[in-house]
């Protein structure tokens, strides 16, 4: 009789511990959470026995020091050792515990909540755990398109900026047919746990309806700019006007330059002419002076000749008279 009782006790004990065996199941894929919203981190036991009498512990696998996110023990939440950042933001739904569901509700998700979590469920005779990979995304502000000036070929510079994303989003320019346009410059900036992106592009008349689209996984924000053809035309007119003004100011400039150069050349020629005239005059003076000299010499010659003409006969006569004596 004693033996039968003992056997029964052992069998019931084995049965009890077999009935306590369970598997802890987490989500198959990463859980995506949006900053500022609430998220459920799924965790349950299979088969779906009640975990009301068990210990449910949620903790961070990837943090070094304090790791506790939420603790349920002895039928109540015991969060005195909880990580400060999770204070007041975690909740286990006690009715769900009866159904074997130990999912954790996390409110006002922060970017720093992204990481690996462990859901650990322990009964008197059994324990198991599951890992939950939480990825947090922050949805930024709608993109803003700025008209940033014109270029010399009549194109319009556009700039599209969107702030407040995590992680870094994709920014894309699209024309009216939805064809992607390659940006000229791309910039990204990180400010603590938020990214800003800024791309620039130059558009011409043919693409007058331009979209700027910022995408992060399933989230998308878009801005549209419609550039009326008037936007291009006054610009052309002003180019023509500017060219005209330039031409107007260049032509007199050229004329003045030509005039000045010509004047300068003329002045040089005039000077040369004066110099030559002076030389000419000097030569003329010289010439008349020489002429005078020539005339004087001629005159002197004539006088000498004449005196010789009178002297010679006299001398001959003298010679004759003296030789006749
Ligand atoms: C968590 O999920 C993200 C997104 O799917 C993935 O990139 C990352 O590698 C995962 N981390 C681990 C440790 O599995
Ligand atoms: C356990 O799961 C089964 C099938 O999924 C369901 O019919 C049953 O109601 C669940 N039990 C509890 C306690 O939720």
């Amino acid at each position: 009789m004693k033996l039968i009782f003992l056997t029964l006790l052992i069998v019931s004990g084995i049965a009890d511990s077999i009935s306590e065996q369970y598997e802890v199941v987490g989500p198959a894929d990463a859980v995506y959470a949006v900053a500022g919203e609430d998220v459920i981190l799924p965790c349950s036991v299979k088969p779906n026995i009640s975990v009301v009498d068990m210990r449910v512990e949620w903790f961070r696998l990837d943090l070094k020091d304090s790791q506790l996110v939420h603790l349920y023990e002895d039928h109540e939440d015991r969060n005195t050792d909880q990580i400060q950042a999770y204070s007041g933001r975690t909740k286990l739904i006690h009715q769900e515990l009866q159904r074997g569901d130990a999912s954790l509700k996390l409110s006002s998700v922060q970017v720093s909540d992204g990481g690996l979590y462990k859901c650990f469920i322990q009964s008197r005779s059994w324990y198991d755990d599951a890992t939950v990979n939480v990825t947090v995304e922050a949805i930024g502000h709608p993109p803003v398109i700025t008209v940033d000036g014109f270029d010399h070929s009549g194109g319009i510079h556009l700039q599209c900026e969107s702030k407040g994303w995590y992680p870094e989003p994709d920014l894309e320019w699209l024309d009216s047919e939805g064809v992607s346009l390659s940006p000229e410059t791309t910039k990204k900036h990180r400010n603590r746990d938020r990214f800003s992106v800024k791309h620039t592009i130059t558009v011409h008349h043919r693409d007058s309806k331009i979209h700027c689209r910022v995408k992060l996984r399933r989230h998308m924000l878009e801005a549209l700019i419609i550039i009326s053809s008037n936007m291009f035309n006054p610009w052309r007119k002003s180019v023509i006007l500017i060219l005209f003004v330039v031409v107007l100011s260049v032509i007199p400039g050229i004329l003045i330059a030509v005039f000045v150069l010509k004047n300068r050349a003329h002045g040089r020629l005039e000077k040369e002419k004066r110099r030559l005239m002076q030389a000419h005059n000097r030569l003329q003076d010289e010439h008349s002076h020489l002429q005078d000299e020539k005339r004087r010499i001629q005159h002197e010659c004539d006088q000498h000749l004449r005196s010789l003409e009178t002297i010679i006969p006299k001398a001959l006569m003298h010679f004759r008279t003296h030789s006749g004596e």
Side-chain angles (χ1 to χ4, degrees):
M1 194 65 190
K2 251 185 184 174
L3 194 72
I4 292 168
F5 181 71
L6 199 67
T7 312
L8 270 176
L9 209 73
I10 290 167
V11 167
S12 87
I14 290 168
D16 202 37
S17 75
I18 285 171
S19 76
E20 283 264 301
Q21 282 192 20
Y22 52 85
E23 191 189 344
V24 174
V25 184
D29 302 312
V31 172
Y32 284 94
V34 173
E37 295 180 2
D38 299 347
V39 68
I40 304 264
L41 312 188
C43 177
S44 57
V45 291
K46 206 168 109 184
N48 54 358
I49 52 170
S50 169
V51 296
V52 168
D53 299 328
M54 298 185 194
R55 181 176 191 267
V56 176
E57 186 181 345
W58 278 93
F59 58 94
R60 283 287 289 264
L61 265 182
D62 51 356
L63 297 185
K64 282 193 188 78
D65 305 329
S66 90
Q67 299 182 320
L68 187 67
V69 174
H70 194 98
L71 177 62
Y72 170 87
E73 197 176 31
D74 298 334
H75 304 104
E76 59 182 24
D77 298 307
R78 300 189 165 194
N79 283 327
T80 46
D81 294 333
Q82 187 185 40
I83 299 171
Q84 193 63 39
Y86 289 95
S87 174
R89 294 198 295 125
T90 58
K91 196 171 180 183
L92 280 181
I93 301 168
H94 291 195
Q95 301 96 291
E96 296 297 318
L97 293 176
Q98 286 174 358
R99 286 185 269 246
D101 186 350
S103 298
L104 183 75
K105 186 182 178 197
L106 184 59
S107 5
S108 337
V109 169
Q110 301 168 0
V111 167
S112 58
D113 292 343
L116 288 180
Y117 291 73
K118 197 127 224 168
C119 167
F120 178 85
I121 300 177
Q122 185 180 30
S123 72
R124 264 170 293 134
S125 55
W126 195 256
Y127 68 82
D128 194 18
D129 61 47
T131 303
V132 182
N133 179 356
V134 177
T135 301
V136 178
E137 295 172 339
I139 310 308
H141 303 291
V144 173
I145 299 177
T146 309
V147 177
D148 202 26
F150 303 91
D151 76 1
H152 42 74
S153 66
I156 296 179
H157 293 304
L158 297 179
Q159 170 186 304
C160 180
E161 183 169 24
S162 184
K163 296 177 179 173
W165 297 82
Y166 184 87
E168 190 192 338
D170 292 320
L171 191 152
E172 201 179 16
W173 288 102
L174 302 165
D175 69 9
S176 47
E177 267 104 52
V179 176
S180 179
L181 307 167
S182 53
E184 273 151 25
T185 67
T186 66
K187 261 190 211 160
K188 71 169 176 195
H189 177 69
R190 187 176 181 163
N191 181 14
R192 263 179 285 147
D193 54 15
R194 291 291 193 276
F195 284 96
S196 299
V197 283
K198 191 193 316 194
H199 291 193
T200 64
I201 198 172
T202 302
V203 295
H204 295 91
H205 191 48
R206 62 184 184 284
D207 6 82
S208 54
K209 201 173 179 185
I210 307 289
H211 299 256
C212 173
R213 181 177 288 174
V214 188
K215 265 198 304 197
L216 183 60
R217 221 170 47 89
R218 285 178 306 187
H219 306 278
M220 185 182 96
L221 293 175
E222 201 175 272
L224 168 68
I225 184 166
I226 296 172
I227 305 161
S228 86
S229 51
N230 287 342
M231 193 73 181
F232 293 95
N233 287 339
W235 162 236
R236 290 232 177 100
K237 266 181 214 153
S238 70
V239 169
I240 291 165
L241 196 71
I242 288 167
L243 277 179
F244 192 60
V245 169
V246 166
V247 165
L248 277 187
S249 58
V250 162
I251 288 177
I254 290 172
L255 288 180
I256 288 168
V258 166
F259 182 74
V260 165
L261 285 175
K262 226 176 170 175
N263 244 18
R264 227 181 260 168
H266 184 250
R268 250 202 325 273
L269 284 176
E270 202 77 8
K271 225 182 196 169
E272 194 71 6
K273 186 180 164 197
R274 263 202 304 279
R275 205 178 55 77
L276 288 173
M277 281 293 263
Q278 273 164 6
H280 177 249
N281 286 349
R282 235 187 357 260
L283 285 173
Q284 209 128 40
D285 285 355
E286 200 80 5
H287 179 245
S288 57
H289 178 74
L290 285 173
Q291 212 92 40
D292 285 354
E293 197 72 4
K294 183 186 164 197
R295 265 199 298 277
R296 202 179 53 75
I297 289 169
Q298 192 89 47
H299 184 71
E300 262 171 37
C301 264
D302 287 352
Q303 265 183 348
H304 283 300
L305 272 177
R306 244 180 307 201
S307 62
L308 273 180
E309 274 169 12
T310 51
I311 287 168
I312 289 170
K314 269 184 195 164
L316 279 175
M317 260 181 43
H318 186 77
F319 183 69
R320 261 185 229 134
T321 50
H322 281 273
S323 62
E325 281 174 25

